[in-house]
Amino acid sequence: MTYKTEDGELITGSSPLEILTNLKNGSRFDSERELDEYLEEFLIRIREYYGVAYSHFDYEKTLNYLVEVGYLTAVELI
């Protein structure tokens, strides 16, 4: 699975958990945080930017939400 962030960064992983972990690990400021702590703060920023509230911590649903609001775009690699 590969996704592109709105900033053009490619995030890869074999599961939603791995994708979200790699997203966190690529963060300049929050890479040292625990994943759930990172997601809590990250989703607050997403809500502020996109105006859509989300507070579910199921990793698959969180990944789908980030695609739905346009933060992540699925990429097919050839």
Side-chain angles (χ1 to χ4, degrees):
M1 301 163 63
T2 302
Y3 292 87
K4 184 170 25 172
T5 68
E6 115 185 312
D7 298 329
E9 180 183 356
L10 290 179
I11 307 292
T12 61
S14 60
S15 68
L17 172 61
E18 194 171 324
I19 294 288
L20 295 172
T21 299
N22 290 336
L23 182 65
K24 174 194 76 80
N25 290 342
S27 170
R28 285 180 253 163
F29 305 109
D30 296 323
S31 62
E32 299 300 319
R33 294 180 128 180
E34 295 295 322
L35 180 59
D36 288 343
E37 182 182 27
Y38 165 79
L39 287 175
E40 185 176 335
E41 295 295 322
F42 181 68
L43 291 172
I44 289 171
R45 292 192 304 271
I46 292 292
R47 181 187 71 217
E48 291 171 355
Y49 184 79
Y50 292 100
V52 180
Y54 182 80
S55 62
H56 203 288
F57 281 102
D58 174 274
Y59 299 129
E60 183 174 1
K61 290 179 182 179
T62 299
L63 180 60
N64 290 336
Y65 167 75
L66 293 173
V67 170
E68 184 180 305
V69 299
Y71 182 78
L72 293 177
T73 302
V75 174
E76 287 188 40
L77 299 178
I78 300 174

